[in-house]
Amino acid sequence: MGVSTSSPEKGTVLVTVDFPPVNALPVRGWLELADAVRAAGRDPAVGCVVLAAEGRGFNAGVDIVEIQAAGQRALIGANQGCAEAFAAVYECEVPVVAAVQGFCLGGGIGLAGNADAIVASEDATFGLPELDRGALGAATHLARLVPQHLMRALYYTSRTATAAELRAHGSVWRVVPRDELRAAALELAAEIAAKDRRLIRLAKAAINGIDPVDVRRSYRFEQGFTFEANLSGVADEVRGTFGREGREEGADE
């Protein structure tokens, strides 16, 4: 259990997240993920990173149970950890391919939205249930996956979009059966890693440099409203219902 790295193909590093039962990451998990992605990007022999997960879904956000138990300290840690993990993916010196299966919620949107490419399984769904969890955030990243008005509707309703719908909007590279997901993501990564390593790093820096949105600043701006909701007591009131009515464990900031 935790975050692991491997090198299944020359020039490619696979970073795998495994936090059963639903990959709702504790504070340490987000920081471990950030460290793993940054370390992979610094390696001059690496041309592409694949971010994947074990289990039922790609990511269910932060560990709400941890926040309920530890309060503000855990909330601050989760916000900092998410910000670092999302930034590590975006700022990774080489392209990052996200291999998404099952649910991609909350923090999962932050990771996938900051990746350079997404390969998804046919059962993958993407969404931000933040308003149902007493939180705000990651609209910055959802806006990188769907058009502006759809992003707003998904955010306000806490509904999800399918991998097929995201592919129709151009944000998912391929949609494949779940048992083919890892191979498909590694295939794309190998094609990217086959480019000159010096040039691919320059290309990543250049593309980030012309991005119209400063994703780190934009996300941290959103997080300020999460703290406002917590200080007002609204977040605790909403979060106190978490786990009832058959809801799954895990959500996000």
Side-chain angles (χ1 to χ4, degrees):
M1 185 177 78
V3 178
S4 61
T5 60
S6 59
S7 299
E9 304 283 348
K10 182 179 180 181
T12 300
V13 168
L14 175 65
V15 176
T16 305
V17 176
D18 184 15
F19 283 89
V22 293
N23 284 323
L25 274 58
V27 173
R28 69 173 179 84
W30 292 108
L31 296 176
E32 287 175 8
L33 177 56
D35 288 344
V37 172
R38 291 191 186 282
R42 286 194 297 266
D43 186 344
V46 174
C48 190
V49 173
V50 173
L51 178 58
E54 297 290 350
R56 295 160 51 194
F58 177 71
N59 189 284
V62 305
D63 186 346
I64 289 292
V65 175
E66 181 181 48
I67 292 176
Q68 289 173 326
Q72 294 289 346
R73 178 172 56 83
L75 177 64
I76 292 172
N79 277 333
Q80 292 175 338
C82 284
E84 285 306 306
F86 300 170
V89 171
Y90 184 81
E91 297 166 1
C92 184
E93 296 173 38
V94 298
V96 176
V97 175
V100 178
Q101 84 276 14
F103 46 81
C104 180
L105 304 173
I109 295 294
L111 297 172
N114 269 359
D116 294 273
I118 302 170
V119 177
S121 63
E122 294 170 336
D123 66 344
T125 56
F126 301 76
L128 291 174
E130 315 309 90
L131 295 183
D132 291 340
R133 304 294 190 259
L136 298 166
T140 293
H141 312 95
L142 185 58
R144 298 168 68 82
L145 300 176
V146 298
Q148 180 70 209
H149 284 82
L150 179 55
M151 178 275 288
R152 288 171 180 255
L154 291 173
Y155 196 98
Y156 297 149
T157 62
S158 298
R159 293 192 184 192
T160 60
T162 67
E165 289 171 327
L166 263 62
R167 177 162 169 73
H169 291 297
S171 52
V172 167
W173 176 257
R174 287 183 64 190
V175 179
V176 299
R178 182 184 274 243
D179 60 1
E180 298 176 15
L181 177 62
R182 191 70 57 87
L186 289 172
E187 179 183 357
L188 175 58
E191 185 174 349
I192 294 171
K195 306 298 183 184
D196 185 277
R197 304 287 161 72
R198 298 162 298 180
L199 285 178
I200 202 67
R201 289 165 184 272
L202 290 174
K204 176 67 182 275
I207 291 175
N208 278 8
I210 63 171
D211 200 319
V213 176
D214 181 337
V215 293
R216 182 188 275 268
R217 182 198 62 78
S218 181
Y219 177 58
R220 292 299 272 173
F221 177 82
E222 288 187 74
Q223 286 185 315
F225 290 93
T226 295
F227 281 111
E228 183 175 325
N230 274 272
L231 289 173
S232 70
V234 172
D236 285 337
E237 183 179 337
V238 174
R239 196 158 47 234
T241 67
F242 180 76
R244 299 175 187 174
E245 299 177 359
R247 291 177 178 172
E248 291 182 331
E249 178 182 352
D252 179 59
E253 293 306 313

